[in-house]
Amino acid sequence: MSVNVDLTTVWAFIIAFAVFAYVVMDGFDLGIGILFPTFEVGPERDRAMNSIAPVWDGNETWLVLGGGGLFAAFPLAYAVILPATYPLIIAMLLGLVFRGVAFEYRWRDPGHRRYWDAAFTGGSLIAAMAQGMTLGALLQGIEVVDRAYAGSWFDWLTPYTLLTGLGTVAGYALLGAAWLVWKLDGESQHHARQLAKRAAWATLVLMGAVSLYNVFLNAEYAARWLTAPEIFYAAPVPILTAVVAVAMLRALKAERHSKPFWLGIALFFLGMAGLGVTMWPYVVPPGLTIWDAAAPERSQVFMLVGVAITLPLIIAYTAWAYWVFRGKVGHEGYH
């Protein structure tokens, strides 16, 4: 018996997985950068950086996979989304460049370390804000005429995109603080735990605000969440989000080490599930579905062979890197 496989749907899930992997892995790196000014100059800042030194650049592999996969599997979506968000994409890339350069040079140029620390924080903050605003620009809808972007240069700048940008910054700060709770000890860990509590509340409030805004943003979004029978399929997402949120706050209060970080990842996963419920099957709301934007089937098959080889390798070496550098971070450092 033959089985029909919708390759377009398969590719949609591959890209969604790559985006999720990037968000949670590079998210805590960016979160540490966002929180960096709150750390004491000296050993506390050095230990925070050393906690991500072995893995931060490898985490960006997932950004390449997600962006490259979008270009290859959904070229029309790529051709529409980029012109609609060019300023945000440029800002994000420049932020990541400043973050990466500052990460290396703060150790090699101690005389100007405070400037490199400022670049590290600024680059992380700009990259996180730009990523969140790009998501907001996509969710609020992109004007498409004759299969091309038909909006203006500043359509991406709205109160809604600013809200999604702030939500992403808060969420990354939560992941960064939770990572440090896991990787540090002593007074630095206590400081990270206090930051995680504040970031958790900020993240939950902003998640709620974005979710509420979505209901009024688009009538179809409201129907997905508030009308039967769709509501019965969507309801588990906010319910589980509330359960995870309570568990995270309790884990932070109980001074658990790794549990807050894993619950933070779960929170992001549920947020992405909610995003899927809201957008599916559109890749560019409100007019382009994944099938409208998909590459020819032969191209999808050809690329799927490559992904079937490379994706397990990426997962394997990423897991190995995290395993090798497991445990608490000492004072000796990576550099």
Side-chain angles (χ1 to χ4, degrees):
M1 182 178 66
S2 62
V3 178
N4 292 324
V5 178
D6 185 356
L7 292 178
T8 300
T9 302
V10 171
W11 268 105
F13 277 94
I14 290 173
I15 293 173
F17 173 76
V19 170
F20 174 72
Y22 171 77
V23 164
V24 298
M25 291 186 186
D26 206 35
F28 69 80
D29 297 349
L30 293 172
I32 290 173
I34 292 166
L35 296 172
F36 211 62
T38 68
F39 304 143
E40 290 186 10
V41 176
E44 188 172 48
R45 288 191 176 186
D46 293 345
R47 292 184 73 195
M49 263 199 168
N50 282 325
S51 73
I52 57 174
V55 296
W56 73 272
D57 48 354
N59 290 341
E60 294 183 354
T61 303
W62 298 103
L63 180 62
V64 176
L65 179 60
L70 181 68
F71 173 74
F74 301 101
L76 180 57
Y78 186 91
V80 169
I81 293 171
L82 257 70
T85 58
Y86 268 140
L88 294 173
I89 299 300
I90 293 170
M92 179 192 73
L93 294 176
L94 288 175
L96 292 175
V97 168
F98 271 93
R99 188 272 301 258
V101 172
F103 194 102
E104 297 296 334
Y105 274 84
R106 77 177 300 273
W107 304 97
R108 291 166 172 78
D109 183 21
H112 298 91
R113 181 165 292 181
R114 61 174 178 168
Y115 300 110
W116 294 121
D117 285 355
F120 181 63
T121 297
S124 299
L125 182 60
I126 289 170
M129 190 72 183
Q131 289 172 15
M133 292 182 72
T134 300
L135 173 62
L138 185 61
L139 275 171
Q140 73 181 4
I142 295 176
E143 186 179 353
V144 179
V145 176
D146 295 330
R147 296 167 62 85
Y149 176 58
S152 70
W153 183 253
F154 290 106
D155 280 5
W156 52 269
L157 184 57
T158 65
Y160 177 71
T161 61
L162 291 172
L163 185 63
T164 56
L166 291 173
T168 302
V169 169
Y172 284 177
L174 170 61
L175 288 178
W179 173 260
L180 293 178
V181 169
W182 185 7
K183 302 297 287 186
L184 302 182
D185 53 18
E187 186 61 30
S188 296
Q189 184 190 54
H190 176 73
H191 183 200
R193 185 175 289 110
Q194 298 307 309
L195 292 173
K197 291 177 181 178
R198 297 169 192 167
W201 280 110
T203 301
L204 294 172
V205 169
L206 288 166
M207 282 184 71
V210 170
S211 300
L212 185 62
Y213 205 132
N214 283 343
V215 174
F216 298 98
L217 186 67
N218 185 307
E220 189 171 351
Y221 294 169
R224 297 277 181 92
W225 289 98
L226 301 177
T227 60
E230 288 86 354
I231 190 173
F232 301 115
Y233 299 102
V237 175
I239 293 172
L240 289 173
T241 300
V243 171
V244 169
V246 171
M248 173 182 290
L249 294 172
R250 292 182 63 181
L252 288 170
K253 185 177 180 180
E255 299 188 354
R256 298 294 184 91
H257 289 241
S258 63
K259 193 173 181 179
F261 180 73
W262 295 112
L263 289 169
I265 290 178
L267 197 64
F268 268 82
F269 175 80
L270 290 167
M272 193 159 185
L275 177 64
V277 171
T278 301
M279 288 183 59
W280 182 264
Y282 296 102
V283 64
V284 181
L288 288 180
T289 68
I290 58 174
W291 298 282
D292 295 329
E297 184 177 0
R298 286 188 177 182
S299 298
Q300 293 183 21
V301 172
F302 177 77
M303 295 181 297
L304 196 61
V305 174
V307 169
I309 297 171
T310 59
L311 188 58
L313 292 175
I314 295 172
I315 294 173
Y317 75 63
T318 300
W320 176 249
Y322 279 89
W323 174 256
V324 169
F325 292 98
R326 66 192 183 277
K328 297 289 185 180
V329 175
H331 293 274
E332 67 280 358
Y334 172 72
H335 285 76

